Amino acid sequence: YSGIEPDEKAFDYVSEQLLAWKPTAPVFLHNEGLREAFPRLRPADQVFCIEVIEHVPAGEREAFATMLRVLTMGTLWLSTPDITKHAHGVLSAAQWRDVLVSSGFTDITIHEEQWTTLFVCQVR
């Protein structure tokens, strides 16, 4: 498992939580952004990008989505506000679809509900 968290305070919190959890599988945390960590990351079956892509500068969104495509062997779980429904959004669902298609994604399903971040992961 790999995790990327550029915010130092959040990174420290997650690191402490992992020490208490004592995972049985290796976990690699990167205290940096995706662009910096990308060369060391391996593609994965499941990639979660929750409430991140809307913070990427407009001119870098397609390159960012392309990095996500390279890392995604199975499913990309992407959550971002739709600008037509949330002030925090930067693009509509249709515009995000265009970004994802131009980045190489082919099977895209867009759900209209807004997510909040909750991961419940268990290794068996």
Side-chain angles (χ1 to χ4, degrees), residues 47-79:
V47 175
F48 294 84
C49 183
I50 309 301
E51 306 301 316
V52 172
I53 201 166
E54 68 271 13
H55 299 283
V56 174
E60 298 175 29
R61 286 186 194 127
E62 192 168 316
F64 186 86
T66 299
M67 284 189 282
L68 291 174
R69 177 65 199 106
V70 169
L71 292 174
T72 305
M73 293 181 352
T75 303
L76 168 67
W77 299 90
L78 174 72
S79 174

Side-chain angles (χ1 to χ4, degrees), residues 1 21-27 123-124:
Y1 299 93
W21 175 44
K22 299 178 184 162
T24 56
V27 177
V123 178
R124 293 179 189 244

Side-chain angles (χ1 to χ4, degrees), residues 4-61:
I4 302 167
E5 177 52 65
D7 180 77
E8 192 168 334
K9 204 170 171 183
F11 178 83
D12 290 344
Y13 174 78
V14 170
S15 297
E16 288 173 19
Q17 295 303 307
L18 277 173
L19 287 173
W21 175 44
K22 299 178 184 162
T24 56
V27 177
F28 303 98
L29 292 179
H30 305 274
N31 185 207
E32 57 195 340
L34 178 60
R35 282 178 296 236
E36 295 79 21
F38 184 76
R40 293 184 303 286
L41 298 173
R42 294 186 339 207
D45 292 326
Q46 304 287 317
V47 175
F48 294 84
C49 183
I50 309 301
E51 306 301 316
V52 172
I53 201 166
E54 68 271 13
H55 299 283
V56 174
E60 298 175 29
R61 286 186 194 127

